[in-house]
Amino acid sequence: MSNKRSHDTNLMWGGRFSSPQDNIMEAINSSIDVDYRMVLQDIEGSIAHVKMLKFQKIISTKICNNIINGLKVIRDEVNNGKFIYDRKFEDIHMNVEKKLYDIIGDDAGYLHIARSRNDQVVTDFKMWVRDSIQDLVSKISENMKTFLIIADNNFNTLMPGFTHLQTAQPITFGHHILAYIEMFDRDKNRFIEAKNRLNECPLGSAALAGTSYPIDRFFTSEKLGFDKPTSNSIDAVSDRDFVLDFLSASSICATHLSRFAEELVIWASDGFAFIEISDSFSTGSSIMPQKRNPDAAELIRAKVSNITGSLFSMFTILKGLPLAYSKDLQEDKELVFRSYDNLSLMLEVMNKMMKEITINKDNLRKMTSSHFITATDLADYLVKHFDYSFRKSHQIVGKLVLKAEKLDCDLKDLKLSEFKKMDPNIDDSIYKILSIENSVNMRSSYGGTSPSEVKKRVKEWKKKLK
Ligand code: ARG
């Protein structure tokens, strides 16, 4: 009886076992519930592998064709949602191989010549990560396009800029939005770099030492869209740097989304009222009828935790792990799949939410005219016109702010006599300097907030994102 069970359950490696596994062993050992997501990559990898085996005359054309036909049947079943994954067969590799036995019989046994699950899994996984990077990059690009339209429409919309979340200087809304386009662009490049770096094919490294069969690793590498085969079989099966790369690129991108989501939450709050998030991305309160909560933004803000958490989990799995393959590495896929799912959702929601956002331009303008927002312009004016040191003019303006605060008015509401009391050189051109429009227009240094600069950057991004 024990024999039967070991044959049934471990067709692939049961030969040297005489008693069955404990039931709970399946629960800890089986990864099919997670790695079924690599089924198409697994089939593609196997097709390339048997083609190579045939090409190298390691297997006959007949066996090769049988295997490929069987794999294609499996692929069809997968695509039609008919393929049944079975925990009994541990992982995706053995599920596919077992199914191949069911379809073509013993010829299936030739598929695993000159490979091991160790090189197979990392090949499948690299292909999966490569595909998911492609998808994330295009989702980031979609966000960039949406953000760019907003930046373009608001190249001269005034808003208060903050440091320490305290009113700092007037800026343009378009400029603020363009800041995120810069971040997204770096995110995209980080993913593309990660993809380029991972693109070496591990297949043929076998368990860890390579193989004695006359295989052609360049053949499979090319068939599977890799740049070249990996050059060290031990590294190939134990390397998960590409997972760290993927998770760190994802963490950084998710962090950017989280930062922006936080700004949306603040901007949508009653105290700010800079924007309105549409009904379709808000929720109500079960007790307070007046409430409209920015839940989608809050969830984007929070979901980054899954991704950075996965990055740290992966570091912890790899830390101190000796070469070459150990089963610890099976835990990598859940982290990547979960991170991809989260990031992909965050990007989709952000994009849609932003398409429907309302910008309260009037309120933004109003909020920009408070809190002595043009004090720096006044200090700069004194430096430029009277050759004062910046520290001296900083002092003078500081005193003027104090004065205005006492009188409960803004700097521009102070009488000329008040200004003159502080510094007799000041004349009434000061009022132009204190205007918000003047303040942003003047900040036309390269990459600055002036509408003219923002227009230029928008134009450049339009070209790049075409
Ligand atoms: N399911 C395994 C994983 O994801 C495949 C490799 C198993 N290799 C082994 N020698 N047990 O890592």
Side-chain angles (χ1 to χ4, degrees), residues 13 29-32 35 38 90-94 116-122 125 207 240 325-333:
W13 50 254
N29 195 41
S30 160
S31 58
I32 190 64
D35 61 26
M38 303 194 304
E90 254 184 70
D91 57 22
I92 189 57
H93 323 295
M94 297 210 291
S116 145
R117 274 186 296 155
N118 297 351
D119 58 338
Q120 190 182 353
V121 68
V122 68
F125 197 23
R240 293 296 183 275
Y325 179 87
S326 295
K327 201 61 174 268
D328 308 49
L329 293 174
Q330 180 164 281
E331 296 291 303
D332 56 3
K333 281 165 288 294

Side-chain angles (χ1 to χ4, degrees), residues 141 144-145 147-149 151-152 174-175 177-189 446 453-466:
S141 298
M144 290 172 84
K145 285 180 195 155
F147 277 53
L148 190 59
I149 293 169
D152 195 9
H175 192 219
I177 294 297
L178 283 182
Y180 284 95
I181 293 189
E182 297 284 338
M183 291 177 234
F184 286 141
D185 195 46
R186 291 195 294 273
D187 292 336
K188 232 164 74 169
N189 289 332
Y446 180 83
E453 272 299 299
V454 172
K455 259 274 174 230
K456 279 187 216 159
R457 298 290 92 73
V458 165
K459 216 171 139 192
E460 288 164 8
W461 279 117
K462 273 189 185 165
K463 244 196 205 156
K464 277 197 243 173
L465 290 175
K466 241 203 265 160

Side-chain angles (χ1 to χ4, degrees), residues 204-394:
S205 300
L208 79 164
T211 177
S212 58
Y213 294 97
I215 60 171
D216 181 352
R217 295 193 55 214
F218 288 85
F219 180 103
T220 35
S221 168
E222 202 198 307
K223 276 259 172 302
L224 297 173
F226 288 96
D227 299 329
K228 67 186 267 300
T230 50
S231 352
N232 181 299
S233 58
I234 299 174
D235 177 50
V237 294
S238 54
D239 167 36
R240 293 296 183 275
D241 289 2
F242 67 97
V243 174
L244 294 175
D245 271 346
F246 176 81
L247 292 175
S248 50
S250 300
S251 295
I252 298 172
C253 179
T255 300
H256 293 152
L257 290 167
S258 176
R259 291 183 81 171
F260 188 58
E262 164 69 351
E263 301 215 88
L264 292 179
V265 171
I266 294 173
W267 293 351
S269 70
D270 296 331
F272 280 75
F274 286 1
I275 57 160
E276 259 164 55
I277 294 173
S278 67
D279 280 358
S280 40
F281 288 97
S282 306
T283 61
S285 156
S286 54
I287 175 169
M288 298 165 281
Q290 86 284 9
K291 288 293 288 283
R292 250 188 60 195
N293 299 326
D295 290 34
E298 291 167 68
L299 287 163
I300 292 174
R301 182 171 63 182
K303 276 186 183 295
V304 61
S305 62
N306 283 291
I307 302 171
T308 49
S310 297
L311 174 62
F312 281 92
S313 298
M314 194 63 216
F315 273 125
T316 313
I317 290 168
L318 290 175
K319 185 214 160 278
L321 195 68
L323 302 185
Y325 179 87
S326 295
K327 201 61 174 268
D328 308 49
L329 293 174
Q330 180 164 281
E331 296 291 303
D332 56 3
K333 281 165 288 294
E334 189 172 2
L335 302 173
V336 165
F337 296 162
R338 185 176 77 176
S339 298
Y340 164 77
D341 291 342
N342 274 298
L343 184 55
S344 167
L345 182 64
M346 289 161 82
L347 284 164
E348 273 183 53
V349 172
M350 181 61 89
N351 187 32
K352 278 194 152 178
M353 182 165 59
M354 286 304 282
K355 280 184 200 286
E356 295 178 14
I357 208 135
T358 311
I359 295 148
N360 299 334
K361 292 191 186 191
D362 291 345
N363 195 43
L364 274 168
R365 175 74 181 77
K366 212 167 80 207
M367 297 285 277
T368 314
S369 359
S370 61
H371 299 99
F372 317 112
I373 197 165
T374 49
T376 318
D377 300 86
L378 183 49
D380 289 340
Y381 162 87
L382 297 177
V383 170
K384 284 185 207 160
H385 282 73
F386 311 126
D387 218 10
Y388 292 169
S389 79
F390 189 76
R391 284 293 152 239
K392 178 176 171 178
S393 62
H394 191 288

Side-chain angles (χ1 to χ4, degrees), residues 396-456:
I396 296 169
V397 178
K399 290 205 176 98
L400 283 163
V401 166
L402 200 63
K403 183 81 200 166
E405 219 166 34
K406 265 193 198 139
L407 299 174
D408 197 20
C409 67
D410 197 20
L411 281 173
K412 66 177 183 321
D413 306 320
L414 289 175
K415 291 202 186 91
L416 187 59
S417 57
E418 298 286 359
F419 284 109
K420 280 191 174 300
K421 247 189 252 164
M422 221 58 84
D423 190 295
N425 282 325
I426 297 177
D427 59 33
D428 63 1
S429 62
I430 199 74
Y431 293 106
K432 180 171 177 260
I433 298 302
L434 291 171
S435 103
I436 298 158
E437 279 77 6
N438 175 72
S439 170
V440 290
N441 287 338
M442 297 288 280
R443 291 209 160 65
S444 57
S445 52
Y446 180 83
T449 201
S450 75
S452 60
E453 272 299 299
V454 172
K455 259 274 174 230
K456 279 187 216 159

Side-chain angles (χ1 to χ4, degrees), residues 147-212:
F147 277 53
L148 190 59
I149 293 169
I150 298 172
D152 195 9
N153 291 339
N154 292 281
F155 77 101
N156 61 359
T157 302
L158 296 169
M159 75 177 279
F162 299 93
T163 62
H164 314 266
L165 202 53
Q166 305 283 324
T167 305
Q169 291 172 348
I171 57 172
T172 43
F173 195 82
H175 192 219
H176 196 104
I177 294 297
L178 283 182
Y180 284 95
I181 293 189
E182 297 284 338
M183 291 177 234
F184 286 141
D185 195 46
R186 291 195 294 273
D187 292 336
K188 232 164 74 169
N189 289 332
R190 221 171 270 115
F191 275 119
I192 291 165
E193 282 158 18
K195 192 177 87 176
N196 292 339
R197 196 159 30 245
L198 73 72
N199 213 26
E200 294 186 358
C201 185
L203 200 59
S205 300
L208 79 164
T211 177
S212 58

